[in-house]
């Protein structure tokens, strides 16, 4: 007879040892072995819930997530939250944004507030629906305005053409927006009423098929009547919100009004009072603020003026409010409301305020520990006297000036070996030849200008633009050839004949194995590394900061408040651009995000651009909420501790881009642009921030090649790798390899012309090539520039050379 109640073992039940699986076992419990402690049992039993309890727990979690989504949806655009910010982006030159705005303004019982600075922007207040919207228009050709507004927008409203959808400029705009991160969006199609009803349906089906690739399962909203505009507004208010990662963890605002107060010392720099609605996170006055496109600044105080877009505004005596739609201009009464009753929320505390210091000031005497003795000073003075030489100088020359005069032939003995700037000798010689031709031509032109006379020349002879276009095509063709050479013969260089190889490649070393050989990350660091900051554990710092944000431990202006920020030491150009109608976007910085370090981005080549992009070329970066210019390094993305330098941006693989830049905590998207000669910005690569790590080792490889002259069973005589006996002896310890997979080493030099006897692990083929690998660590150049020029409206380039046309000589 079975007992009514099942026996449940207590915490003191006998625990047998687990079977030991051997050394291959990866479990920490098996390696620990022994008796399991009694205290661990109750915790384990708490996790072993019954099926009913597990269901109940899953139901609770599901309900909490649902309530969080509903609370966020209700707060957006409500009385307590910020207005629903909708950015209108016309994707076609024929797309009518003005008609869309007028339709959206024609809502019943709605109050319209026209924006102060921007043309085409307005706020829509619907007390009946308890909703408020803020509409801003961005032109697809203005790349910076579109990307800046998309950083802070709650929803994007794309205006399509009923026939074509979008043009080439709209396609470029969409590529940039998808790479940066797309918030919630909707597609509106105004117009198309002039077509017959049957053709209208066919045109809409054709348009839906065209947009399916970019926007799968997206719904098209026709926008021709007031009823359709009401449906679009309802869809914008109720659809699920998509957020950008860098947006949610930082407080940000779009300037609704701004005022510039010049400083006492100069009118060019002063305090900028920016008013707007706080979004994302709580805004602390002691944190730094980043004005997109202009840099980092400190705040002095935060005010709380009256909300200009309140759903329940205060009624002033003697002023009647009609129930019909009202149009009010904020430029008339906006400043009066700001000055009416402004409450100071908080002022900056100098002891808690973040510093603007972005670089470490290196001390050149930091490593010095001794002072020169009298004997060393006397010895230095004696060597100085011994090195004195007699130089013929003009009459009246001082000793200091005479020390700078160089004799004929003195400078020729010194050779600059700064290999960080150049990649091979051929490029250096080419650049020198070009510069010498330019100088000589200028010298020849100078005397000719004295004897010149005026004459009329026909228009065809004075057309310099054609010559410039031909020169650009020749330079592009040369770049294509260099890229193809690097693909066919990766990292191979010719050994110079006029300079000994042991001098030319003195900074390089050989490695037994690129993957396993050690390389100290702190060895031979450049002076720029003394200016940057480095974390002891970057991932731990990032987790700690994000955990603080989730706990909401910061104090300040909450989300949805209408505040005025007093930003110190701002140039007057910020206010001038705001008056011109450009958006003014501010982001609050997390701790350490103003400091410089080494940033690594993982990017992939964008398929729309096929021009060769060489390492250390100046590129434009859009990283998260920042944009800047820098000259990056390209390297392979591997899991090893050393990463090989790539000379060109590869179209078929993901590469890591390394630059000096301010610290940004990932996740953050990155867009790489290249500026054309006419001022347009071409999108060349997209990706994300990989890490902030100055210890990431980027290794440049050089390959010296030689050819077998005489082949024996396991030995061969190799020539053309070196051209003197001393170079062969210098590189004797480095291992050799061949293109067909043989490995070997140098045994001895033969003669005085660089021939050498080499031993291999098998017999060579006559068509094989002997290679010697040399390695050197490289660092990025300090070329960070926060100023990015405004791009010219983008037009598809027609002068790009197809890759198939490039022929190798």
């Amino acid at each position: 007879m079975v007992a009514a109640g099942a026996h449940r073992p207590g915490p003191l039940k006998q625990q047998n040892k687990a079977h030991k699986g051997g050394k291959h076992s990866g479990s920490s419990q098996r390696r620990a072995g022994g008796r399991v402690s009694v205290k661990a049992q109750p915790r384990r039993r708490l996790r072993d819930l019954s099926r009913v309890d597990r269901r109940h727990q899953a139901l609770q979690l599901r309900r909490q997530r649902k309530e969080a989504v509903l609370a966020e949806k209700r707060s957006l655009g409500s009385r307590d939250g910020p207005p629903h910010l909708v950015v209108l982006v016309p994707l076609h030159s024929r797309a009518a944004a003005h008609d869309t705005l007028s339709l959206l303004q024609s809502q019943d019982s709605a109050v319209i507030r026209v924006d102060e600075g921007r043309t085409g922007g307005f706020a829509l207040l619907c007390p009946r629906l308890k909703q408020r919207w803020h509409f801003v228009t961005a032109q697809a050709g203005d790349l910076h305005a579109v990307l800046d507004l998309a950083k802070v927008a709650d929803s994007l409203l794309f205006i399509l053409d009923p026939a074509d959808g979008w043009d080439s400029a709209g396609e470029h705009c969409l590529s940039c927006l998808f790479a940066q991160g797309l918030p919630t969006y909707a597609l509106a199609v105004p117009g198309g009423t002039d077509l017959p009803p049957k053709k209208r349906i066919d045109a809409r089906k054709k348009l839906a098929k065209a947009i399916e690739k970019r926007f799968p399962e997206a719904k098209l909203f026709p926008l021709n009547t007031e009823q359709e505009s009401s449906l679009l507004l309802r869809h914008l208010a109720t659809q699920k919100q998509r957020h950008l990662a860098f947006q949610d963890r930082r407080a940000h605002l779009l300037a609704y009004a701004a005022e510039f107060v010049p400083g006492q010392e100069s009118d060019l720099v002063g305090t900028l009072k920016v008013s707007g609605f706080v979004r994302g996170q709580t805004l602390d006055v002691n944190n730094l603020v980043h004005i997109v496109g202009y840099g980092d600044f400190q705040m002095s105080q935060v005010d709380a003026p009256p909300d200009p877009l309140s759903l329940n505004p205060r009624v002033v005596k003697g002023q009647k409010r009609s129930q019909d739609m009202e149009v009010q201009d904020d430029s008339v009464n906006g400043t009066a409301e700001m000055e009416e009753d402004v409450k100071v929320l908080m002022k900056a505390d100098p002891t808690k305020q973040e510093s603007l210091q972005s670089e470490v000031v290196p001390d050149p005497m930091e490593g010095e520990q001794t002072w020169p003795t009298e004997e060393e000073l006397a010895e230095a003075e004696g060597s100085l006297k011994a090195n004195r030489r007699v130089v013929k100088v003009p009459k009246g020359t001082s000793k200091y000036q005479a020390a700078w005069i160089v004799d004929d032939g003195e400078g020729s003995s010194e050779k600059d070996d700064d290999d960080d700037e150049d990649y091979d000798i051929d490029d250096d010689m080419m650049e020198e030849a070009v510069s010498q031709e330019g100088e000589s031509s200028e010298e020849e032109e100078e005397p000719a200008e004295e004897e010149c006379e005026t004459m009329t020349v026909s228009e065809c002879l004075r057309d310099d633009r054609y010559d410039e276009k031909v020169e650009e095509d020749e330079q592009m063709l040369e770049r294509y050839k260099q890229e193809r050479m690097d693909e066919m013969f990766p990292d191979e260089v010719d050994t110079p004949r006029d300079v000994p190889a042991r001098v030319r490649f003195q900074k390089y070393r050989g490695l037994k194995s690129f993957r396993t050989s050690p390389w100290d990350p702190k060895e031979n660091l450049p002076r720029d590394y003394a200016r940057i900051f480095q974390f002891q554990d970057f991932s731990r710092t990032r987790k700690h900061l994000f955990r603080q944000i989730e706990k909401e431990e910061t104090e300040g202006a909450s989300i949805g408040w209408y505040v005025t920020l007093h930003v110190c030491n701002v140039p007057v150009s910020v206010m001038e651009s705001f008056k011109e109608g450009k958006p003014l976007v501010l982001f609050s910085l997390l701790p350490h995000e103003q400091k410089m370090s080494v940033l690594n981005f993982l990017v992939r080549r964008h398929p729309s651009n096929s021009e060769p992009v060489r390492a250390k070329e100046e590129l434009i970066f859009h990283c998260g909420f920042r944009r800047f210019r820098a000259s990056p390094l390209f390297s392979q993305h591997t899991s090893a501790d050393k990463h090989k330098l790539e000379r060109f941006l590869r179209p078929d693989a993901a590469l890591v881009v390394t630059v000096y830049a301010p610290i940004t905590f990932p996740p953050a998207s990155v867009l790489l642009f290249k500026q054309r000669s006419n001022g347009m910005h071409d999108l060349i690569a997209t990706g994300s921030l990989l890490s902030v790590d100055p210890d990431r080792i980027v290794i440049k490889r050089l390959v010296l090649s030689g050819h077998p002259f005489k082949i024996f069973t396991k030995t061969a005589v190799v020539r053309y790798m070196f051209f003197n006996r001393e170079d062969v002896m210098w590189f004797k310890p480095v291992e050799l390899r061949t293109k067909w997979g043989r490995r070997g080493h140098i045994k001895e030099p033969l003669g005085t012309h660089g021939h050498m006897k080499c031993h291999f692990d098998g017999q060579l083929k006559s068509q094989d090539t002997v290679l010697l690998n040399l390695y050197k660590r490289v660092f990025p150049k300090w070329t960070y520039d926060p100023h990015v020029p405004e791009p010219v409206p983008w037009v598809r380039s027609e002068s790009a050379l197809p890759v198939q046309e490039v022929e190798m000589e």
Side-chain angles (χ1 to χ4, degrees):
M1 190 70 182
V2 181
H7 173 69
R8 292 188 178 181
L12 298 175
K13 176 183 177 291
Q14 175 182 338
Q15 295 288 330
N16 297 326
K17 292 183 180 179
H19 171 67
K20 295 180 179 177
K23 291 184 178 180
H24 63 272
S25 169
S27 172
S28 59
Q29 291 181 354
R30 286 184 183 176
R31 287 198 298 270
R35 189 174 292 176
V36 182
S37 62
V38 178
K39 291 183 179 179
Q41 292 300 315
R43 294 181 187 171
R44 195 170 65 96
R45 283 182 59 80
L46 283 175
R47 287 199 298 269
D48 293 343
L49 302 173
S50 64
R51 187 169 64 177
V52 178
D53 293 338
R54 287 199 303 272
R55 274 187 188 171
H56 186 57
Q57 190 181 46
L59 183 66
Q60 284 180 330
L61 291 173
R62 196 159 57 243
R63 192 175 295 157
Q64 287 174 3
R65 284 196 293 266
K66 189 176 180 181
E67 287 176 356
V69 170
L70 285 173
E72 180 192 2
K73 198 178 288 186
R74 292 190 191 106
S75 66
L76 184 62
S78 66
R79 181 171 57 87
D80 299 326
H84 193 131
L85 181 58
V86 182
V87 178
L88 276 73
V89 184
L91 294 179
H92 201 283
S93 56
R94 295 196 302 265
H98 180 72
D99 299 343
T100 306
L101 289 173
S102 57
L103 269 175
L104 291 170
Q105 289 180 5
S106 61
Q107 298 296 314
D108 293 335
S109 68
V111 181
I112 307 298
R113 300 283 181 91
V114 181
D115 278 6
E116 178 184 345
R118 289 172 298 279
T119 55
F122 68 94
L124 184 68
L125 310 179
C126 295
R128 184 171 58 83
L129 299 175
K130 296 182 180 178
Q131 285 284 326
R132 50 183 183 168
W133 287 273
H134 186 197
F135 291 91
V136 184
T137 306
Q139 297 300 324
D142 193 353
L143 181 66
H144 282 180
V146 172
L147 293 179
D148 290 350
L149 287 170
K151 289 179 175 72
V152 294
D154 296 314
S155 300
L156 292 181
L157 181 58
F158 294 115
I159 311 298
L160 307 180
D161 181 65
D164 300 330
W166 53 76
D167 53 9
S168 59
E171 176 73 24
H172 181 250
C173 177
L174 282 177
S175 299
C176 299
L177 286 173
F178 272 88
Q180 178 178 268
L182 199 64
T184 313
Y185 64 88
L187 305 176
V189 187
T193 53
D194 52 345
L195 295 173
K198 289 185 178 179
K199 289 187 177 180
R200 204 180 300 169
I201 296 173
D202 294 339
R204 189 169 179 185
K205 284 182 179 178
K206 182 183 175 183
L207 182 60
K209 192 173 182 180
I211 69 168
E212 190 176 359
K213 184 180 178 183
R214 276 286 190 188
F215 304 99
E217 301 178 3
K219 186 179 179 183
L220 282 172
F221 286 89
L223 205 59
N224 299 311
T225 62
E226 293 183 14
Q227 187 179 3
E228 289 172 344
S229 67
S230 300
L231 286 174
L232 177 61
L233 280 178
R234 182 169 295 179
H235 173 72
L236 288 172
T238 56
Q239 67 178 342
K240 185 180 178 182
Q241 293 296 313
R242 299 168 59 183
H243 297 283
L244 305 182
F246 68 86
Q247 197 183 65
D248 281 351
R249 294 192 172 98
R250 297 167 182 87
H252 56 275
L253 61 86
L254 174 67
Y256 185 76
E259 180 187 355
F260 184 77
V261 180
Q264 297 178 355
E265 299 178 357
S266 173
D267 293 340
L268 301 177
V269 178
T271 301
L272 185 68
K273 298 180 181 179
V274 185
S275 301
F277 293 91
V278 179
R279 302 170 186 271
Q281 289 292 332
T282 304
L283 179 65
D284 188 5
V285 69
N286 293 317
N287 290 345
L288 297 180
V289 69
H290 177 81
I291 301 178
V292 176
Y294 293 96
D296 306 332
F297 302 94
Q298 287 181 330
M299 292 182 287
S300 58
Q301 73 180 46
V302 177
D303 299 339
D307 189 348
L309 305 181
S310 176
L311 286 172
N312 301 314
R314 292 178 299 176
V315 180
V316 183
K317 290 183 179 179
Q319 181 182 4
K320 294 182 180 180
R321 296 179 67 253
S322 62
Q323 296 297 324
D324 298 333
M325 182 181 66
E326 299 177 1
V327 178
Q328 300 176 1
D329 191 1
D330 281 354
S331 61
V332 177
N333 56 5
T335 54
E337 284 184 3
M338 285 177 63
E339 295 172 359
E340 187 179 343
D341 49 346
V342 177
K343 299 175 183 176
V344 179
L345 283 180
M346 62 196 90
K347 290 195 175 184
D349 185 0
T351 58
K352 297 180 181 178
Q353 197 170 22
E354 287 278 346
S355 170
L356 279 172
Q357 182 188 5
S358 61
E359 301 176 20
V360 181
V361 180
D363 183 10
M365 299 297 292
E366 188 177 0
E368 293 291 332
Q369 296 181 350
T370 58
W371 190 257
T373 60
E374 295 293 335
E375 293 81 2
E376 290 172 340
L377 289 173
E379 184 181 350
E381 186 69 25
S383 64
L384 188 63
K385 290 179 180 178
N387 290 333
R388 285 178 181 168
R389 65 190 192 284
V390 179
V391 183
K392 290 184 179 180
V393 296
K395 192 175 181 181
T397 306
S398 65
K399 289 184 179 180
Y400 178 77
Q401 291 171 330
W404 287 93
I405 294 177
V406 182
D407 279 345
D408 294 337
E410 182 185 342
S412 61
S413 61
E414 299 178 1
K415 188 157 184 74
D416 184 22
D417 194 24
D418 188 10
D419 205 35
D420 291 344
E421 303 292 330
D422 310 309
Y423 287 101
D424 46 52
I425 297 177
D426 298 336
D427 292 349
D428 299 347
M429 294 172 67
M430 185 180 70
E431 290 173 6
E432 288 173 9
V434 171
S435 62
Q436 287 170 4
E437 286 175 10
E439 290 172 3
S440 61
S441 62
E442 288 176 4
E443 290 172 1
E444 291 169 6
E445 286 173 6
E446 282 178 2
E449 286 178 358
E450 299 174 0
E451 303 173 358
C452 64
E453 62 182 34
T454 307
M455 59 183 295
T456 306
V457 185
S458 63
E459 184 66 26
C460 60
L461 294 177
R462 292 193 290 109
D463 191 6
D464 298 332
R465 293 184 180 179
Y466 184 79
D467 295 338
E468 292 176 2
K469 194 175 180 62
V470 171
E471 289 175 4
E472 286 182 7
D473 287 347
E474 289 177 356
Q475 292 175 2
M476 189 60 64
L477 181 64
E478 186 64 31
R479 282 186 166 190
Y480 274 115
K481 285 184 178 180
Q482 291 175 6
E483 187 181 29
R484 184 69 62 84
M485 283 288 290
D486 191 55
E487 287 179 8
M488 294 169 61
F489 308 102
D491 304 321
E492 286 193 33
V493 296
D494 295 329
T495 308
R497 305 196 66 164
D498 54 343
V499 182
R502 62 186 183 278
V503 177
R504 173 66 180 83
F505 306 119
Q506 61 185 346
K507 294 184 180 180
Y508 291 81
R509 69 180 73 174
L511 292 179
K512 177 72 175 173
S513 169
F514 183 80
R515 186 178 62 86
T516 59
S517 296
W519 197 301
D520 185 10
K522 305 295 184 186
E523 173 190 357
N524 291 337
L525 297 178
R527 293 190 64 85
D528 288 336
Y529 263 53
R531 302 164 61 184
I532 64 172
F533 291 84
Q534 182 178 8
F535 293 96
Q536 191 173 5
D537 190 343
F538 178 74
S539 59
R540 186 178 64 186
T541 307
R542 173 177 168 269
K543 286 180 183 177
H544 177 66
L545 282 174
F546 288 175
R547 205 174 292 124
Q548 282 184 340
I549 293 171
E550 290 172 2
K551 290 179 182 178
E552 299 180 354
E553 295 177 352
T554 56
E555 297 179 356
S558 299
I559 302 172
W561 289 8
Y562 184 76
V563 296
T564 300
L565 309 181
H566 293 246
V567 188
C568 306
N569 300 322
V570 179
V572 71
S573 57
V574 181
M575 188 64 194
E576 291 172 355
S577 68
F578 180 71
K579 286 180 178 177
E580 292 172 2
K582 295 177 181 175
L584 182 59
V585 178
L586 286 81
F587 272 86
S588 177
L589 297 184
L590 298 177
H592 314 297
E593 282 197 326
Q594 79 278 15
K595 299 172 182 174
M596 296 290 289
S597 189
V598 178
L599 270 63
N600 302 303
F601 306 103
L602 180 62
V603 302
R604 189 176 285 275
R605 188 72 181 266
H606 196 264
S608 66
N609 190 278
S610 60
E611 294 182 5
V613 180
R614 197 168 181 173
K616 296 187 180 178
E617 276 189 41
E618 187 183 77
L619 300 178
I620 297 169
F621 289 77
H622 288 242
C623 173
F625 53 88
R626 292 184 188 274
R627 58 173 175 259
F628 55 88
R629 291 185 292 173
S631 302
L633 292 179
F634 303 142
S635 59
Q636 293 179 352
H637 179 51
T638 60
S639 58
D641 61 339
K642 294 181 288 295
H643 312 273
K644 192 178 85 67
L645 177 82
E646 290 288 346
R647 287 173 165 80
F648 289 91
L649 189 63
R650 300 290 180 200
D652 53 349
L655 295 181
V656 176
V657 176
T658 305
V659 290
Y660 290 112
I663 293 167
T664 304
F665 289 100
S669 58
V670 62
L671 287 77
L672 268 66
F673 291 89
K674 187 177 178 182
Q675 185 168 343
R676 291 192 213 164
S677 57
N678 57 4
M680 295 182 192
H681 292 183
D682 285 331
L683 180 66
I684 60 169
T686 61
S688 59
L689 177 58
L690 179 66
S691 64
V692 180
D693 185 15
D695 286 343
R696 189 177 187 275
I697 302 175
V698 180
I699 302 295
K700 178 183 176 182
R701 183 181 72 173
L702 280 188
V703 180
L704 304 182
S705 58
H707 300 276
F709 177 49
K710 293 180 181 178
I711 300 173
F712 302 98
T713 307
K714 283 197 174 184
T715 57
V717 178
V718 179
R719 61 178 177 178
Y720 300 147
M721 184 177 287
F722 303 109
F723 298 100
N724 58 67
R725 186 183 183 90
E726 291 78 13
D727 286 346
V728 177
M729 295 300 295
W730 178 267
F731 289 101
K732 188 177 179 181
V734 184
E735 188 182 24
L736 301 176
R737 66 179 180 91
T738 70
K739 287 191 175 181
W740 286 42
R742 295 296 178 197
R743 290 186 173 272
H745 59 272
I746 302 172
K747 287 187 72 174
E748 58 182 353
L750 299 175
T752 60
H753 294 283
H755 292 205
M756 56 188 183
K757 184 189 289 186
C758 305
H759 185 273
F760 294 94
D761 56 359
Q763 191 169 15
L764 296 188
K765 303 287 185 181
S766 60
Q767 65 268 36
D768 206 349
T769 306
V770 182
L771 307 174
L772 183 140
N773 292 344
L774 297 174
Y775 303 94
K776 180 188 73 167
R777 185 179 179 185
V778 290
F779 301 91
K781 293 195 292 185
W782 193 288
T783 54
Y784 172 78
D785 185 5
H787 173 68
V788 177
E790 285 291 329
V792 178
W794 190 83
V795 179
R796 188 182 296 277
S797 175
E798 302 294 340
S799 63
L801 291 170
V803 181
Q804 289 80 10
E805 291 184 9
V806 181
E807 297 180 359
M808 303 303 301
E809 295 179 0

